[in-house]
Amino acid sequence: MNKIIYLDAAASALKPAAVVDAQVDFLRHKYANAGRGICARVAAVDNMVADARRTVGEWIHAAPYQIVFTSGTTDAMNRIVGMVRQLPVFASSKPVVAVSDLDHHSARMPWQNLANLGLCDMTVCALDDAYNIDAARVPAADVMVITAMSNVMGAPQDVAAIVRAARAKNPRVITIVDAAQYVAHAPIDVAAWGCDFLCFSGHKIGADTGVGVMYIKNPDDIPADKFGGGMVNTILPDGHWTLNAAPEKFEAGTLPLTQIAGLPPAIDAWRAWGGSHEMIAYLHDELSKMPHVKILTSRDAALLSMVVDGMHVLDFGAFAGTRNLCMRVGNMCATWIHRALNIGGSIRISVGPWNTMDDMRDAVRIIGEIVK
């Protein structure tokens, strides 16, 4: 069988051996539920979860109690809506929620759903000529959703500047950062950024599907949005209750323990990667020479998006697939940026630690054959 060239890291990263080994070892030799007993095996799982939480916190410059495990970015972004809806900003008036055309569907749709129900108003942040959020023109808002990196454009946003600009307009604004793509390409410092919430998915950095991270700046001030085992301290006779402190109060039910076991080795492996710049720059240089290829992203972007004149992106994807070239085609669950670009979809190439320059040269050859 011919070698498959996997160029779809932005959709999901391939898993390093250390992640697979850690999860298999946990399942075969160490499995138990967390927070459900006092035997040595359960205590060991509790320690594993605590260690993973500490690893994530150190990686993004947060305290362990600010780190909540979720099933992924989509889960976290929807849960944040449920939390924020319980805050005074929704009780006193109809709040304004600012979004941008860089947003993934999961970052914008939950708020648009509230707007469709008449529970909030929406405003859209202006983009500059390079399709980045223009911090100088950030609107006044009660809630600001910031996509730290578009999964189509691949350019890191100046999150700290956007947060500062939003707070200058409204000191009480709630800032929410979708770091699903950013986390794979640049360091995150939530303390320096000053955001109130941030989330990302483990599978984007080589961990398993089903585990994500939600950072909450001030978890003691945020109400729980889901209820069940593990987060309750006391159920009172009058029907009220007291909850455990954060992060446990946000983690009702059984955690994705196997996936959490694989998260620290995924972080370690991803940290060791030199990044995508050399490969993406090479692709940009070579593909820009092809007359029918229109590149949408900059040379220093974290990925490469393009279209081919006279060819539907799905047709291109089919031709590439028959040649064992795996890449994403379509609207990337990012309708708004494609509308801003005045196109229906795009072709995206994204790379990870498993890729080599030989993969890039093969990809250029194959794309050249397709677009002739």
Side-chain angles (χ1 to χ4, degrees), residues 110-142:
W111 297 105
Q112 187 66 59
N113 180 57
L114 291 190
N116 293 345
L117 295 172
L119 299 175
C120 68
D121 292 323
M122 302 279 286
T123 185
V124 180
C125 295
L127 303 183
D128 62 20
D129 292 341
Y131 298 96
N132 295 309
I133 296 173
D134 189 344
R137 293 189 287 162
V138 165
D142 299 293

Side-chain angles (χ1 to χ4, degrees), residues 69-133:
F69 289 121
T70 69
S71 68
T73 305
T74 297
D75 177 41
M77 294 301 283
N78 279 270
R79 291 187 60 188
I80 290 167
V81 174
M83 295 174 188
V84 172
R85 278 194 66 185
Q86 301 178 67
L87 296 177
V89 65
F90 266 83
S92 59
S93 62
K94 184 187 286 188
V96 174
V97 178
V99 294
S100 83
D101 285 343
L102 300 183
D103 292 339
H104 186 277
H105 290 170
S106 61
R108 185 162 166 176
M109 286 181 67
W111 297 105
Q112 187 66 59
N113 180 57
L114 291 190
N116 293 345
L117 295 172
L119 299 175
C120 68
D121 292 323
M122 302 279 286
T123 185
V124 180
C125 295
L127 303 183
D128 62 20
D129 292 341
Y131 298 96
N132 295 309
I133 296 173

Side-chain angles (χ1 to χ4, degrees), residues 135 146 157-167 177 189 191-195:
I146 304 167
Q157 301 302 295
D158 190 343
V159 176
I162 296 167
V163 170
R164 285 195 302 270
R167 294 237 162 89
V177 178
D189 188 336
W193 288 0
C195 55

Side-chain angles (χ1 to χ4, degrees), residues 170-255:
N170 178 4
R172 294 180 297 278
V173 66
I174 299 165
T175 53
I176 303 161
V177 178
D178 174 358
Q181 292 297 325
Y182 190 104
V183 69
H185 299 286
I188 291 174
D189 188 336
V190 292
W193 288 0
C195 55
D196 296 297
F197 295 90
L198 178 140
C199 54
F200 62 87
S201 300
H203 73 92
K204 301 289 189 181
I205 55 169
D208 204 350
T209 53
V211 64
V213 169
M214 174 169 54
Y215 159 82
I216 306 177
K217 182 179 181 180
N218 296 307
D220 292 342
D221 298 335
I222 304 299
D225 65 308
K226 56 192 294 188
F227 299 89
M231 50 89 75
V232 178
N233 183 291
T234 305
I235 298 288
L236 303 173
D238 65 359
H240 293 82
W241 48 71
T242 60
L243 302 180
N244 291 326
E248 285 80 8
K249 82 171 184 178
F250 301 108
E251 294 178 342
T254 297
L255 289 168

Side-chain angles (χ1 to χ4, degrees), residues 2 315-326 366 370:
N2 293 330
D315 291 334
F316 180 92
F319 287 128
T322 61
R323 292 164 170 81
N324 291 330
L325 191 60
C326 292
I366 292 168
I370 294 171

